[in-house]
Amino acid sequence: MSVKVLIAGGAGYIGSHTASLLAERGYEPVIYDNMSTGHAWAVRGDLIKGDIGDRRLLSAVLDDTRPVAIMHFAGKILVGESMERPELYYANNVAGSIVLLELALERGIPVIFSSSAAVYGTPEKVPIAEDSPLRPESVYGETKLVVERALEWCARLRGLRYVSLRYFNAAGASPSGRLGELHVPETHLIPLCLHAVMGLREKLVVFGDDYPTPDGTCIRDYIHVDDLAEAHILALEHLLAGRESRVYNLGSEKGYSNLEVIKAVGKVVGREVPWEMGQRRPGDPPVLLASSERIRSELGWKPRYGLEEMIGHAWNFLRAHEALAKKLYSGK
Ligand code: UFG
């Protein structure tokens, strides 16, 4: 009999890669997605269109499919938008997640939650460990933290079991080029560099070179989306083995400045990225770097891919989807 895992947000970037890896490993992913930002081409197998906040539909789906776990990727992810429309982020990322959590609790289903490095805000020291102060500086980060706290209390008081995964900078695509990142709007550095190379935008604007870093630009910790997917499988197997709820960082523990990323993109694709220096973007911490020691030692997770592979896979994906990308980003 197949072992089903419900993937809320499984038509999105990280969710679709994880669903694909689950299928490869013999699980049966059931995709539940409201398709607000997901892509039908990224879904293989059954897709149920629905909101995480739709209690009636989600409970019927859970009763019907009886998954062994729920992976919850269904979040709004734009930091800037969250500062303009906080209510949208509270409605989807908090209220929606609480419905999902209640239904999981009622049925004794463990939850794997997509959290973010945004829960830390500007760190006092790097690398950032899981027990660092949690001081989000955006509504987006705050909504992730609210859900983490709800999970923690429900675990402590009601026996819910969960793993919360705090992603640093997700990047890359499946090595085959089938799955990858096509966010509208796109706000992330690596895809924006590639869009500039492909002519989908005139150039990349680098947000400031007056940070306290060696070249003055911000430093981030990029992690391949398939390494994130692998961590979800390890978290699933941890919970299925009956082990305790945990919170884990997911980063490569290597930092690259924005100028280093631009240079690496130029090297991998064999063409210079058109770019210019611009102003700081409000809310960007100078350095974000994970300590992933906890998940490495407890679950044996080890990222496979480095920066150049992330860029190479993302470039293969974009080239394979050039016509679609042109349609999605024309005039944007
Ligand atoms: N950047 C530019 N120009 C751009 C876009 C980005 O210079 O056009 C810079 C940013 O200023 C930053 C770096 O590239 O220094 C990385 O920016 P991203 O937008 O790719 O990623 P962030 O580090 O801002 O955001 C990531 C996740 C968020 C999460 C955040 C945690 O995408 O979901 O980390 O702080 F909230």
Side-chain angles (χ1 to χ4, degrees):
M1 216 180 76
S2 63
V3 179
K4 292 183 179 166
V5 179
L6 189 97
I7 320 271
Y13 174 43
I14 305 172
S16 62
H17 284 79
T18 306
S20 169
L21 189 63
L22 278 165
E24 253 176 55
R25 300 281 165 85
Y27 293 94
E28 189 181 331
V30 176
I31 311 301
Y32 185 85
D33 198 302
N34 69 8
M35 301 308 281
S36 59
T37 54
H39 300 285
W41 53 262
V43 177
R44 267 205 192 148
D46 290 340
L47 166 67
I48 300 159
K49 192 168 174 227
D51 265 321
I52 47 171
D54 185 340
R55 181 183 302 268
R56 194 183 294 181
L57 178 62
L58 184 55
S59 48
V61 168
L62 292 173
D63 290 339
D64 197 36
T65 56
R66 299 181 164 274
V68 293
I70 301 174
M71 293 189 180
H72 173 18
F73 298 91
K76 293 181 94 50
I77 60 159
L78 297 169
V79 174
E81 182 186 57
S82 81
M83 302 305 278
E84 282 160 19
R85 300 286 309 277
E87 69 283 9
L88 287 182
Y89 281 69
Y90 279 94
N92 184 86
N93 292 9
V94 177
S97 295
I98 300 302
V99 172
L100 182 148
L101 189 158
E102 266 185 276
L103 298 177
L105 185 56
E106 280 166 18
R107 291 163 179 77
I109 305 173
V111 175
I112 297 168
F113 176 60
S114 298
S115 188
S116 166
V119 297
Y120 297 112
T122 303
E124 271 162 21
K125 60 173 201 216
V126 290
I128 307 170
E130 288 84 351
D131 57 3
S132 303
L134 301 172
R135 289 190 292 238
E137 285 162 20
S138 64
V139 173
Y140 166 72
E142 181 68 34
T143 60
K144 291 289 178 187
L145 184 55
V146 171
V147 177
E148 280 204 16
R149 294 221 159 107
L151 288 164
E152 192 184 337
W153 281 110
C154 291
R156 207 189 293 172
L157 304 173
R158 301 272 285 126
L160 177 79
R161 287 183 333 105
Y162 75 96
V163 170
S164 185
L165 298 172
R166 295 178 182 156
Y167 313 149
F168 281 66
N169 290 62
S174 51
S176 68
R178 186 176 79 82
L179 295 172
E181 185 170 18
L182 282 178
H183 292 118
V184 182
E186 187 51 77
T187 60
H188 296 127
L189 181 62
I190 292 175
L192 287 175
C193 287
L194 297 173
H195 291 186
V197 172
M198 193 176 258
L200 299 174
R201 59 172 46 229
E202 198 193 326
K203 61 189 157 214
L204 173 85
V205 177
V206 177
F207 296 144
D209 62 354
D210 55 352
Y211 286 93
T213 60
D215 67 18
T217 64
C218 292
I219 293 175
R220 292 289 179 272
D221 181 337
Y222 296 89
I223 183 76
H224 195 290
V225 63
D226 274 350
D227 285 322
L228 294 181
E230 191 67 55
H232 285 76
I233 307 250
L234 293 171
L236 173 68
E237 288 169 353
H238 171 87
L239 289 169
L240 294 183
R243 293 205 282 273
E244 59 172 340
S245 297
R246 297 299 278 151
V247 175
Y248 294 116
N249 281 343
L250 292 177
S252 70
E253 306 188 317
K254 283 195 200 76
Y256 293 95
S257 75
N258 295 341
L259 293 182
E260 285 172 331
V261 170
I262 291 172
K263 208 166 143 200
V265 171
K267 180 177 164 206
V268 172
V269 308
R271 269 186 274 165
E272 291 301 309
V273 177
W275 67 275
E276 69 178 24
M277 192 51 71
Q279 298 299 311
R280 283 187 178 204
R281 178 172 71 176
D284 275 337
V287 182
L288 284 177
L289 194 58
S291 161
S292 297
E293 179 48 35
R294 184 186 282 179
I295 189 165
R296 285 171 190 262
S297 64
E298 293 185 9
L299 302 192
W301 179 70
K302 196 165 177 279
R304 282 172 62 186
Y305 299 111
L307 182 67
E308 293 192 3
E309 286 159 310
M310 291 180 229
I311 294 168
H313 296 163
W315 181 234
N316 291 342
F317 167 78
L318 192 62
R319 279 193 304 185
H321 295 79
E322 187 166 351
L324 176 60
K326 284 200 164 127
K327 210 158 91 190
L328 286 175
Y329 299 113
S330 64
K332 293 207 167 66

